[in-house]
Amino acid sequence: MTLRELQYLVALADHRNFRRAAEACLVSQPTLSTQLRKLEEELGVPLVERAPRRVMLTPAGREAVERARRILDEVEQLKEGARRSCAAEAGALKLGVFPTLGPYLLPHVVPLIRARFPDLELLLFEEKSAALISRLNYGTLDAAFLALPVHEPQFHSEFLFEEPFLLAVPGNHVLASRDLLSINELSSYNLMLLEDGHCLRDQALDVCQLSGAREKSEFRATSLETLRQMVAAGVGMTLLPMLATRNPAQPAENIHLLEFSDSKPSRQIAMLWRKTSAMGRLLAEVAQVCRALPQDLLSPRH
């Protein structure tokens, strides 16, 4: 059994097509097929169910793929550890962030990271939280910014900051004459929320449950910017993370922001990576840099 055969198996599991898997591995299709048959012969079980138009993994194949991913990840960590021992702050860092945080946090932290690690190649990936967690598990990301809690014991978590939520209302709303409100005052209102799959939706629903507010069920946004524009158009109100209100390139025209006088709804942002990562020391330093955000970004303006 070779690492190359395991790579072929994982590629086939990812692409579900012999030709595309072979192209991804930079080998011919017959070579990939022959090596996988050798692997099946050594293990004594079929791993792939071959059909004319599709490829499916057998139960033994699915288990083998999961084990192969872990083995290949450990090998990559071994290589990465050797590289980092020579140049700990050089190379590439694959960093993930979720959509309701990335556009508002990255402009502040990327310059800090570049200044501290000028030789580090920073590769940024924006995906929903579930996809980031999956990619961390598979080793295709080195670390990710995520909202806590994350119930994954295989990850190390470094808390970065707590980000308050503000209530955004149209400029002509009855609440637009105020700067503060109690969380219980939301009980008589409906809030516009994001669609399923966004962690911010789950956090907003927690606020709804706490306050007695309800979701404006006839509308669900695909992005935070859509929510902002709908508030500006007078359609309704929503919760915005504070960093999303600090973007000078997108002034909040016809939007009034209110802080909460009690309960202080917020989300906790952390940087997570695999406990087995060979980059652990570097990632801890990167997390420390990311904590150095200007205090006024997360503080009230009045």
Side-chain angles (χ1 to χ4, degrees):
M1 186 185 303
T2 67
L3 292 176
R4 180 66 67 185
E5 290 169 354
L6 298 183
Q7 290 170 344
Y8 293 164
L9 178 61
V10 169
L12 186 61
D14 289 340
H15 294 278
R16 298 302 173 102
N17 179 279
F18 276 94
R19 178 183 58 79
R20 291 196 296 271
E23 290 175 352
C25 295
L26 302 178
V27 297
S28 67
Q29 183 174 330
T31 296
L32 184 136
S33 182
T34 298
Q35 293 300 311
L36 286 179
R37 287 196 182 277
K38 284 178 58 181
L39 181 60
E40 289 176 317
E41 291 172 3
E42 181 171 353
L43 294 176
V45 292
L47 303 176
V48 180
E49 185 178 328
R50 296 164 174 84
R53 295 182 179 272
R54 60 178 179 171
V55 173
M56 293 184 294
L57 296 173
T58 65
R62 289 192 293 272
E63 181 179 353
V65 166
E66 293 304 312
R67 292 181 182 273
R69 289 190 195 277
R70 291 196 291 270
I71 291 169
L72 293 172
D73 180 58
E74 288 295 329
V75 171
E76 186 57 35
Q77 293 301 322
L78 177 63
K79 295 178 181 178
E80 185 64 27
R83 289 193 294 266
R84 294 289 172 181
S85 66
C86 299
E89 297 178 4
L93 171 60
K94 293 171 287 187
L95 187 59
V97 63
F98 56 94
T100 61
L101 179 67
Y104 318 108
L105 175 65
L106 294 180
H108 301 289
V109 300
V110 168
L112 298 176
I113 296 173
R114 291 194 186 282
R116 171 62 181 83
F117 305 101
D119 297 325
L120 191 66
E121 182 185 7
L122 198 57
L123 305 176
L124 302 172
F125 301 84
E126 184 181 85
E127 295 189 64
K128 292 180 181 179
S129 296
L132 295 178
I133 290 172
S134 177
R135 293 193 61 174
L136 277 177
N137 275 318
Y138 285 144
T140 57
L141 281 179
D142 297 315
F145 295 113
L146 290 163
L148 298 176
V150 176
H151 302 292
E152 299 283 344
Q154 69 274 26
F155 294 156
H156 175 79
S157 174
E158 285 284 337
F159 174 78
L160 299 181
F161 57 85
E162 187 161 1
E163 182 181 19
F165 289 129
L166 303 178
L167 182 68
V169 302
N172 60 355
H173 194 276
V174 64
L175 293 175
S177 61
R178 298 171 53 183
D179 293 321
L180 295 171
L181 81 161
S182 166
I183 191 78
N184 293 329
E185 292 183 75
L186 287 180
S187 61
S188 57
Y189 296 105
N190 296 339
L191 297 180
M192 295 185 297
L193 304 182
L194 291 171
E195 64 181 1
D196 290 334
H198 289 276
C199 62
L200 182 58
R201 172 179 172 79
D202 298 329
Q203 295 151 5
L205 286 173
D206 289 340
V207 175
C208 288
Q209 185 175 12
L210 176 66
S211 65
R214 296 170 299 280
E215 178 182 3
K216 192 177 181 69
S217 57
E218 64 269 25
F219 174 79
R220 287 186 182 178
T222 58
S223 72
L224 202 55
E225 290 311 305
T226 300
L227 282 180
R228 187 201 304 272
Q229 294 303 321
M230 295 302 283
V231 174
V235 175
M237 62 174 63
T238 193
L239 292 173
L240 292 178
M242 185 168 284
L243 283 177
T245 70
R246 299 302 203 228
N247 189 345
Q250 296 169 322
E253 296 182 4
N254 197 39
I255 295 179
H256 184 74
L257 301 172
L258 294 94
E259 297 167 23
F260 291 94
S261 59
D262 57 357
S263 296
K264 307 289 185 182
S266 63
R267 63 181 181 183
Q268 294 185 324
I269 304 300
M271 185 172 153
L272 286 85
W273 60 87
R274 295 178 302 281
K275 291 178 179 178
T276 57
S277 174
M279 302 171 65
R281 181 175 298 180
L282 172 65
L283 294 173
E285 293 184 28
V286 171
Q288 184 63 36
V289 169
C290 292
R291 289 194 190 97
L293 286 174
Q295 286 299 312
D296 61 348
L297 287 176
L298 298 168
S299 302
R301 293 194 175 184
H302 60 270

